Amino acid sequence: MPKSYGQKLKLICLAKIFYERTDEEHPLSIKEITDILIKDYDIKAERKSLYDDIEALRSLDLDICTARDKSTRYFLATREFELPELELLIDAVQASRFITYEKSISLIKKLETLSSMHQAKKLYRGVYINDKFKSKNKTTYFAIDAIHESISQGTKLSFYYFRYNEKKEKVYRHDKKLYTVSPIALVWDDEKYYLIAYDSKEEKIKHYRVDKMDSAVSIDEPAEGREFIKNSDIGIYTGCHFGMFGGEKEKVTLCCDNSLADIILDRFGSESMLFRNGDTFNVNVDVMVSPPFISWLFSFGNKIKVIHPKHVADKVKATAEEVSKLYK
């Protein structure tokens, strides 16, 4: 490498060394930095010039700190992401079922580059990905990109929608009919990604599993139905649903054992009013009455029941009777 060209790259290479090779537990001396510049980048550097270069990097907001024991050594103290933040993001990638196994590995490797090589080894040792529960649909990322494009451009989205049959084969809904909807928002619920969209033909809001979409593309037609859900209402809207299933919205009064207080507050929010009554309490909640909601009630056995309205309580009772027939 010509000397003048190498000197122009020196500051960039020096920043790269600090990002990739140093942290609080792994500082480098000036001699070690000089050796790396020569060995890896064929760049010769004088000790005095390196002191000036480090000050130049500091002036560019690189938080290069000094560690002093027997000798003076340097390390990058602050990064865009702290190590616990990267651990949190990696845990989220591992847990996300809609992200394929291959994409999970790729994303985690990219996240590891945001730390030093020494920290990356710690991060990698904590990685465990269970392929059994990961999505097999590799087009999910293209669908997400198309959805975001439609939302930002205010246009409609078209896609094919499918399910898996007992042979683990894709079966396209409505004989592979092309769905066309107006995207409103993407939401994360119960470890799954959902599209909330307006169907102008049926004049209603619908939900679609993003990992069950194929060939999603933004089309040049103005979106409709945005007025049905405002951005500020998305959280309230999704909070009424269980598993993003549709259903009739009802204000339901539940009678719960006192041991369920924490669970109720987690599910319906800490602002929920709990009305104590001895060993139980009542709570009024807005829910979409659906099979997942009823299943959620059943999961607590006799510790929770619907006491109002009566038609919802009757629906829960009828479902319980139908289920009980399977075990006679």
Side-chain angles (χ1 to χ4, degrees), residues 279-314:
D279 294 333
T280 63
F281 64 87
N282 291 352
V283 60
N284 299 318
V285 295
D286 292 319
V287 299
M288 294 291 186
V289 179
S290 63
F293 166 64
I294 295 174
S295 297
W296 180 80
L297 293 174
F298 289 165
S299 69
F300 301 106
N302 63 357
K303 291 188 176 183
I304 188 169
K305 67 177 180 179
V306 175
I307 58 175
H308 182 80
K310 185 177 183 301
H311 68 270
V312 174
D314 289 342

Side-chain angles (χ1 to χ4, degrees), residues 307-324:
I307 58 175
H308 182 80
K310 185 177 183 301
H311 68 270
V312 174
D314 289 342
K315 187 170 185 176
V316 175
K317 180 180 178 181
T319 303
E321 290 173 347
E322 286 298 314
V323 172
S324 68

Side-chain angles (χ1 to χ4, degrees), residues 122-297:
K122 294 181 181 178
L123 290 170
Y124 185 77
R125 282 198 294 269
V127 171
Y128 172 73
I129 300 177
N130 191 337
D131 189 27
K132 180 179 179 181
F133 299 107
K134 287 287 188 178
S135 170
K136 306 302 179 186
N137 186 4
K138 297 183 180 181
T139 67
T140 300
Y141 316 101
F142 301 110
I144 292 171
D145 186 54
I147 291 167
H148 279 298
E149 181 181 352
S150 287
I151 292 174
S152 64
Q153 298 295 327
T155 58
K156 291 184 178 180
L157 181 83
S158 68
F159 57 91
Y160 297 106
Y161 203 47
F162 68 88
R163 63 178 178 83
Y164 287 105
N165 63 15
E166 70 281 0
K167 298 178 182 179
K168 302 181 182 180
E169 300 168 331
K170 283 185 181 179
V171 178
Y172 288 90
R173 296 181 182 272
H174 304 307
D175 297 320
K176 208 171 183 178
K177 162 196 163 186
L178 191 66
Y179 285 62
T180 301
V181 299
S182 299
I184 295 174
L186 276 167
V187 299
W188 180 259
D189 185 81
D190 194 25
E191 300 185 3
K192 298 178 182 65
Y193 225 172
Y194 291 90
L195 166 66
I196 299 177
Y198 178 72
D199 186 327
S200 56
K201 290 184 179 179
E202 297 190 26
E203 298 183 340
K204 63 189 294 188
I205 301 294
K206 290 186 174 182
H207 314 137
Y208 304 90
R209 281 264 300 272
V210 177
D211 59 320
K212 303 293 185 185
M213 292 180 178
D214 257 359
S215 306
V217 62
S218 177
I219 59 177
D220 192 20
E221 291 183 28
E224 303 170 293
R226 182 75 228 189
E227 66 276 10
F228 285 92
I229 304 181
K230 298 177 182 178
N231 285 335
S232 59
D233 296 332
I234 294 294
I236 297 173
Y237 176 83
T238 56
C240 295
H241 290 76
F242 283 74
M244 293 307 292
F245 267 66
E248 292 297 321
K249 186 177 180 180
E250 300 274 3
K251 184 171 285 294
V252 174
T253 301
L254 303 174
C255 178
C256 312
D257 187 271
N258 285 339
S259 63
L260 300 183
D262 194 47
I263 291 171
I264 294 298
L265 293 175
D266 277 347
R267 182 61 185 79
F268 298 105
S270 58
E271 301 302 314
S272 302
M273 297 292 294
L274 309 183
F275 301 95
R276 290 286 306 278
N277 182 24
D279 294 333
T280 63
F281 64 87
N282 291 352
V283 60
N284 299 318
V285 295
D286 292 319
V287 299
M288 294 291 186
V289 179
S290 63
F293 166 64
I294 295 174
S295 297
W296 180 80
L297 293 174

